[in-house]
Amino acid sequence: GQNIDQPTEMTATEGAIVQINCTYQTSGFNGLFWYQQHAGEAPTFLSYNVLDGLEEKGRFSSFLSRSKGYSYLLLKELQMKDSASYLCAGVFNDYKLSFGAGTTVTVRA
Amino acid sequence: DSGVTQTPKHLITATGQRVTLRCSPRSGDLSVYWYQQSLDQGLQFLIQYYNGEERAKGNILERFSAQQFPDLHSELNLSSLELGDSALYFCASSPGTGNYEQYFGPGTRLTVT
């Protein structure tokens, strides 16, 4: 596979910032998705990065460095509803997606 | 509501059987993706169609097949079912060229007994 790696779990306090890292093999890489999935629900699209740099969307931002095989999802001003699994998925060899195992984020009051 | 519909919501069937899962994309979306999510394997990409043509194949077994019809709805056919095929199957759609934002359906939960 494309060795998509992300931490298994992260815990943070309400109002804080959390950064979820994702690394991948750069061979054949085209772009990177981030999804949010609450327990028992379908995933929700958060972002798709193709170019290097930071893309901001409200409280969520996603960063990509193509040369380093590295991305992160930044969640700011954490809210209890942000407790969920966050999935990183790389697009390789044109359109094939490969997923990481997901990072479970727990937000504590 | 994402605008993507999947039927049925739940399906219980026996090993060796064949089932068909159906997905209707959001109005105007040309691309359909199929995913499988099981407890031990996480989310796996199966296959993608764009405007009726297969675009990418992921970890899809030979016992599984899919197609996208002229009206852009898609079907995923699973045959010779095994216990290990029990999972949630999600469909997602996206507008297509240049816009990769995906909208997921609620999923079909398949239980093979």
Side-chain angles (χ1 to χ4, degrees):
Chain A
Q2 279 70 31
N3 289 348
I4 310 289
D5 287 320
Q6 54 181 128
T8 305
E9 294 181 339
M10 301 183 77
T11 301
T13 306
E14 202 173 9
I17 298 173
V18 71
Q19 178 174 314
I20 307 169
N21 296 325
C22 173
T23 60
Y24 58 88
Q25 289 184 335
T26 58
S27 174
F29 177 78
N30 289 113
L32 195 122
F33 282 101
W34 283 99
Y35 304 88
Q36 179 193 60
Q37 187 175 25
H38 286 100
E41 296 181 12
T44 302
F45 169 91
L46 292 178
S47 64
Y48 181 62
N49 293 65
V50 176
L51 302 176
D52 284 354
L54 185 69
E55 290 192 9
E56 298 185 72
K57 241 188 225 181
R59 294 187 300 112
F60 292 4
S61 303
S62 55
F63 172 84
L64 180 69
S65 170
R66 297 180 67 100
S67 62
K68 293 182 179 175
Y70 169 68
S71 173
Y72 67 73
L73 181 69
L74 195 67
L75 316 181
K76 294 182 275 191
E77 300 167 22
L78 278 172
Q79 301 176 8
M80 299 299 287
K81 67 179 181 179
D82 298 330
S83 292
S85 180
Y86 291 85
L87 306 168
C88 163
V91 181
F92 297 91
N93 301 316
D94 290 331
Y95 300 105
K96 184 177 172 180
L97 281 85
S98 186
F99 281 83
T103 299
T104 299
V105 171
T106 302
V107 181
R108 298 179 305 194
Chain B
D1 183 359
S2 67
V4 178
T5 60
Q6 289 186 249
T7 56
K9 280 191 175 177
H10 302 276
L11 198 50
I12 302 174
T13 190
T15 54
Q17 294 299 303
R18 173 191 167 94
V19 297
T20 297
L21 312 184
R22 183 187 168 103
C23 169
S24 291
R26 285 189 333 149
S27 177
D29 283 357
L30 298 178
S31 197
V32 168
Y33 303 75
W34 285 99
Y35 300 94
Q36 179 194 57
Q37 188 169 40
S38 56
L39 281 174
D40 58 345
Q41 294 218 352
L43 195 63
Q44 302 277 326
F45 167 67
L46 295 179
I47 198 165
Q48 182 199 358
Y49 281 85
Y50 177 77
N51 204 20
E53 299 289 324
E54 181 185 304
R55 175 172 267 189
K57 228 176 205 183
N59 302 322
I60 188 166
L61 300 171
E62 285 192 13
R63 300 183 285 108
F64 296 1
S65 65
Q67 55 183 325
Q68 186 180 28
F69 294 87
D71 66 353
L72 300 177
H73 90 272
S74 179
E75 293 181 355
L76 179 67
N77 301 296
L78 317 175
S79 62
S80 304
L81 284 168
E82 301 175 0
L83 295 178
D85 298 327
S86 295
L88 259 173
Y89 291 84
F90 289 109
C91 160
S93 73
S94 72
T97 305
N99 185 343
Y100 297 93
E101 184 159 352
Q102 293 183 22
Y103 299 85
F104 281 76
T108 292
R109 180 170 293 283
L110 174 66
T111 303
V112 183
T113 62

